[in-house]
Amino acid sequence: MAEHIVTFDLAPQPIRVPTGTLLIEAARLAGIDIGQPCGGQGRCGRCAVIVNDGGVRRRSTLRLSNEDVAAGYALACQAVVEGDITVVVPPQEKIERRLTTDRVVADVTVPIGYDPDRVQTIKRVTVTLTPPSMDDQTDDWSRLQVALRQATGVNEVSASLNTLRRIGSILRENDWQVTAIIDSAVRNPHSAIEDPVPAVRLIDLKPGNVPDHAPMWGAAIDIGTTTVTCWLVDLISGEVKKQAAEYNRQIARGEDVISRIIYASKNGGGAELQSLVVNSINALIDEVCLHATIKPIDIVKATVSGNSTMIHLLLNIPASSIRLSPFITAINHVPLLTANEIGLLINPEATIDCLPGVASYVGADITAGVLSSGLADTDKSTLFMDVGTNGEIVLGSRDWLVTCACSAGPAFEGAGVIDGMRATKGAIEEVWINNETFEPTYRVIGSVKPRGVCGSGLISLLSELFITGLIDKGGNFNTYLGTERIRSGAHGLEYVIAFADHTEHNRDIAITPVDIDNLLRAKAAIYAGFSVLADRVGVPLESVEQILIGGSFGKYINVENAIQIGLLPDLPWDRFQFLGNTSVKGAYRALLDRTDRDRIADIAARMTYIELSADNTFYEAFTSALFLPHTDLSKFPSVEEALMKSITSNE
């Protein structure tokens, strides 16, 4: 097969590739990372590069105009190398890693009466062994097993080959006195029935006698489609010592789960996505350990929560069946694993417990959230929503649980909006617009100059734009109002929230029609999801006694604003509770307490899943909700009243 020379402007030297190589693959071989937010499907157009000269065949020009093609633009994920070429890579949109600040760190209370000896599967056992002699030639492993059986009352002790290789030297170097770290969660973790033959797995051996009060470390991890969160937990006290979050590095290969599933199905895509999310987790582990002045190897257990796709991609389990009818996962209940099997850079024998999911689009993030939100313990009819890239919804009480899911996209988490960002220092979190001058005022996290707009700020901004008449119910800008804030920008008309001289990075912060469209689609998906679910079950929305909102940004959104854009149902404000990241809270509970871990498995077993794509009902509801607040304004009487007041005040 013929080979061709590909020269990238960003690469130190040209590379050779065979005929038929995708340009995106050539870029990777040259050490250039080009983002593919749509997973390499050619839908988003954001991997466009300029081919100055040479032979390239464009398999698709979906996002390119005739003028773009004439100028040499090609989609790197759709362009095939057929000759020597020279390629210019334009500046790309970058999602910068931003550390969690005090504004978004969750308040965590150790469960009342927490007793690690009673509810924790990880134990420390100090044993003193009789040294071998000519009269007692029992092997080291058998000697240790006998001591652990006597100390714990278990019938079976197991260990990995790597651990067995270390036992002899550790015992001899420490005069046969060691502290064993063991995990009793080797029985079926998905059953509340105790195994009649207790067993433990040896995780590590520590020299000498480790004091009972000394910390023992675990991690609660939530893998969101947009954000990965890690809590460092002392398993002895139950306290969360450090928290950190960062963007899921898989975003560069797809902003939603479908794009990532498609990308994973391509040559080597699954392994790459696994590497990206494992690197995200390892970076967070390094961060929390650095702040706690411990080493990652000290972490001996981790619980992992996340939607079904994220769990599959973490484990590099093929996820293609999730997006294909009849939409079935490869696995919902993952067996216990070790850190070494996944690639997490903690203690290699640390127990990794991936929490159970329900279905293709209702995963462990929801089962964990139902536990931590209190839904599984209440008699009230309750609507629970995890508002994120995927809108997962549960309706029910302690006696019954029905669930569904819809794809909302990453807009409310800041990744689907040009000037969007996470809720960290410098993010605009709330906006008010004067209905006479159309000038905005805003509040910024950290009381500094703004750098962008986070999810709560986007909801507030969209609501204010609508109520003041700056945009119509379809999200289109009204240009007759005579304000300099509405102007023509690189993406068409835009509204400027903050001019460059008022921002930290000396660039204007604005919202564009593309941003508004993404926000409308996100809110429409969520509204359609819970309204269709309620209709299917026969529970009128107005009869729901409480609405619990999960998701990392949800804790800070304004209820009135969320109702005014049609994200939430028009109900009394006192029925809403915003709980923050319920997924990682559930993972934390499961990390500490084996009973709570069993309860999550029971919640998963009791949920009835409804597939919204089974008929046209969801699509019809979604289409109706693509307007502000909805095509049927009678569903939002408080918004209708607010609009009338705004019109009256402008007359």
Side-chain angles (χ1 to χ4, degrees):
M1 184 179 292
E3 286 194 341
H4 309 289
I5 298 174
V6 181
T7 304
F8 289 93
D9 66 324
L10 300 182
Q13 58 189 17
I15 61 166
R16 288 182 174 273
V17 298
T19 299
T21 302
L22 279 174
L23 201 49
I24 196 76
E25 294 297 331
R28 188 173 304 149
L29 291 171
I32 299 170
D33 186 18
I34 299 176
Q36 301 172 75
C38 69
Q41 301 174 72
R43 291 190 292 104
C44 68
R46 282 151 66 182
C47 67
V49 296
I50 303 169
V51 181
N52 279 337
D53 58 76
V56 67
R57 176 169 55 86
R58 296 168 176 82
R59 298 192 309 191
S60 171
T61 57
L62 180 63
R63 292 293 180 180
L64 302 176
S65 65
N66 292 333
E67 291 78 11
D68 291 333
V69 174
Y73 280 94
L75 301 181
C77 71
Q78 299 294 316
V80 178
V81 177
E82 295 187 340
D84 295 349
I85 56 175
T86 301
V87 182
V88 174
V89 181
Q92 300 180 70
E93 295 177 10
K94 292 185 178 180
I95 297 177
E96 298 177 0
R97 178 171 178 269
R98 300 184 177 97
L99 301 181
T100 302
T101 66
D102 291 340
R103 184 67 175 82
V104 292
V105 168
D107 296 324
V108 185
T109 302
V110 178
I112 296 173
Y114 173 66
D115 180 359
D117 291 333
R118 181 176 57 84
V119 299
Q120 179 56 249
T121 66
I122 304 291
K123 311 284 186 185
R124 269 194 306 240
V125 182
T126 299
V127 292
T128 301
L129 282 64
T130 302
S133 66
M134 294 300 294
D135 296 326
D136 180 5
Q137 295 193 349
T138 305
D139 64 273
D140 296 342
W141 173 231
S142 296
R143 194 177 298 274
L144 180 60
Q145 283 180 303
V146 169
L148 289 174
R149 289 192 192 105
Q150 292 173 345
T152 62
V154 302
N155 296 335
E156 180 183 347
V157 182
S158 63
S160 72
L161 178 59
N162 285 335
T163 302
L164 292 175
R165 288 169 175 160
R166 301 171 51 237
I167 286 175
S169 59
I170 293 176
L171 291 174
R172 286 169 176 78
E173 289 169 4
N174 294 282
D175 296 326
W176 301 90
Q177 184 181 61
V178 292
T179 297
I181 299 176
I182 58 176
D183 188 358
S184 61
V186 292
R187 63 185 176 85
N188 179 1
H190 315 306
S191 171
I193 302 173
E194 292 291 339
D195 191 321
V197 184
V200 298
R201 182 176 66 86
L202 179 62
I203 293 176
D204 204 355
L205 283 181
K206 297 293 185 182
N209 184 359
V210 178
D212 291 341
H213 63 273
M216 187 163 57
W217 299 102
I221 298 165
D222 170 46
I223 304 175
T225 310
T226 303
T227 306
V228 180
T229 303
C230 178
W231 289 4
L232 180 66
V233 181
D234 179 359
L235 300 177
I236 300 301
S237 68
E239 295 178 359
V240 176
K241 294 296 185 179
K242 295 294 176 183
Q243 303 175 39
E246 73 160 26
Y247 281 113
N248 187 333
R249 298 182 187 185
Q250 292 177 339
I251 289 176
R253 301 295 178 259
E255 289 185 343
D256 56 74
V257 295
I258 299 299
S259 296
R260 289 186 208 172
I261 291 171
I262 292 172
Y263 189 87
S265 67
K266 300 174 182 177
N267 185 32
E272 183 186 357
L273 289 179
Q274 181 193 35
S275 176
L276 287 169
V277 72
V278 166
N279 289 343
S280 298
I281 296 170
N282 285 335
L284 292 175
I285 288 170
D286 284 343
E287 181 183 336
V288 294
C289 289
L290 178 65
H291 284 83
T293 63
I294 68 167
K295 297 177 181 178
I297 199 171
D298 294 330
I299 297 175
V300 294
K301 182 180 180 181
T303 48
V304 182
S305 183
N307 66 54
S308 299
T309 300
M310 293 303 102
I311 296 297
H312 280 61
L313 296 180
L314 170 69
L315 306 179
N316 196 13
I317 294 174
S320 298
S321 60
I322 289 177
R323 63 176 284 266
L324 302 173
S325 180
F327 313 109
I328 304 299
T329 55
I331 187 168
N332 285 327
H333 292 259
V334 178
L336 294 175
L337 302 169
T338 63
N340 186 55
E341 292 177 278
I342 299 175
L344 296 184
L345 299 180
I346 55 178
N347 190 303
E349 299 301 322
T351 297
I352 306 299
D353 185 5
C354 296
L355 302 182
V358 178
S360 288
Y361 298 109
V362 176
D365 51 346
I366 297 307
T367 56
V370 167
L371 175 80
S372 66
S373 69
L375 170 54
D377 301 310
T378 185
D379 292 323
K380 295 181 178 180
S381 62
T382 301
L383 181 66
F384 168 68
M385 296 185 287
D386 189 316
V387 182
T389 305
N390 305 296
E392 296 110 337
I393 302 158
V394 182
L395 185 61
S397 66
R398 72 167 72 202
D399 298 320
W400 61 281
L401 296 167
V402 180
T403 183
C404 70
C406 53
S407 179
F412 287 135
E413 294 185 325
V417 176
I418 291 172
D419 284 319
M421 63 180 288
R422 286 182 50 236
T424 59
K425 186 176 181 180
I428 295 173
E429 63 175 339
E430 194 158 11
V431 181
W432 301 268
I433 297 177
N434 186 294
N435 63 0
E436 294 180 357
T437 65
F438 305 109
E439 288 294 301
T441 55
Y442 45 78
R443 183 170 64 233
V444 181
I445 296 174
S447 301
V448 296
K449 286 186 175 182
R451 293 190 290 122
V453 192
C454 65
S456 61
L458 290 167
I459 290 172
S460 173
L461 173 61
L462 191 61
S463 169
E464 288 289 297
L465 289 171
F466 176 55
I467 292 298
T468 58
L470 285 163
I471 59 174
D472 61 22
K473 65 180 184 179
N476 305 301
F477 285 109
N478 291 319
T479 57
Y480 58 83
L481 297 173
T483 171
E484 65 173 353
R485 294 280 173 173
I486 295 180
R487 70 181 188 191
S488 213
H491 302 274
L493 290 175
E494 62 186 19
Y495 177 85
V496 182
I497 311 156
F499 288 109
D501 55 348
H502 291 97
T503 68
E504 182 185 289
H505 44 50
N506 297 316
R507 299 192 306 270
D508 294 342
I509 296 174
I511 187 168
T512 72
V514 174
D515 299 334
I516 292 173
D517 183 62
N518 285 336
L519 292 167
L520 289 178
R521 287 179 175 277
K523 76 93 182 174
I526 293 167
Y527 186 87
F530 64 68
S531 60
V532 170
L533 183 64
D535 286 343
R536 292 274 187 93
V537 179
V539 176
L541 279 176
E542 57 269 20
S543 70
V544 174
E545 296 174 82
Q546 61 176 351
I547 299 177
L548 309 178
I549 313 292
S552 55
F553 89 94
K555 190 173 181 180
Y556 301 104
I557 68 175
N558 180 292
V559 177
E560 182 180 18
N561 292 154
I563 291 173
Q564 286 176 342
I565 68 171
L567 172 63
L568 298 177
D570 198 350
L571 296 174
W573 297 354
D574 59 5
R575 296 191 196 180
F576 295 89
Q577 295 181 48
F578 297 91
L579 306 177
N581 189 334
T582 52
S583 177
V584 74
K585 290 177 183 177
Y588 163 70
R589 294 262 303 264
L591 177 69
L592 290 185
D593 191 333
R594 69 165 70 205
T595 304
D596 280 339
R597 174 60 178 83
D598 286 342
R599 289 190 66 206
I600 291 174
D602 178 64
I603 287 167
R606 291 196 296 117
M607 280 188 178
T608 299
Y609 176 67
I610 292 178
E611 177 54 60
L612 294 180
S613 63
D615 56 39
N616 290 328
T617 307
F618 175 77
Y619 179 75
E620 293 167 357
F622 172 76
T623 303
S624 297
L626 277 173
F627 297 86
L628 295 167
H630 195 275
T631 51
D632 184 358
L633 198 55
S634 67
K635 294 179 181 291
F636 292 86
S638 72
V639 183
E640 187 174 22
E641 182 181 350
L643 287 171
M644 291 302 298
K645 287 181 179 178
S646 179
I647 292 171
T648 302
S649 66
N650 286 330
E651 289 178 349

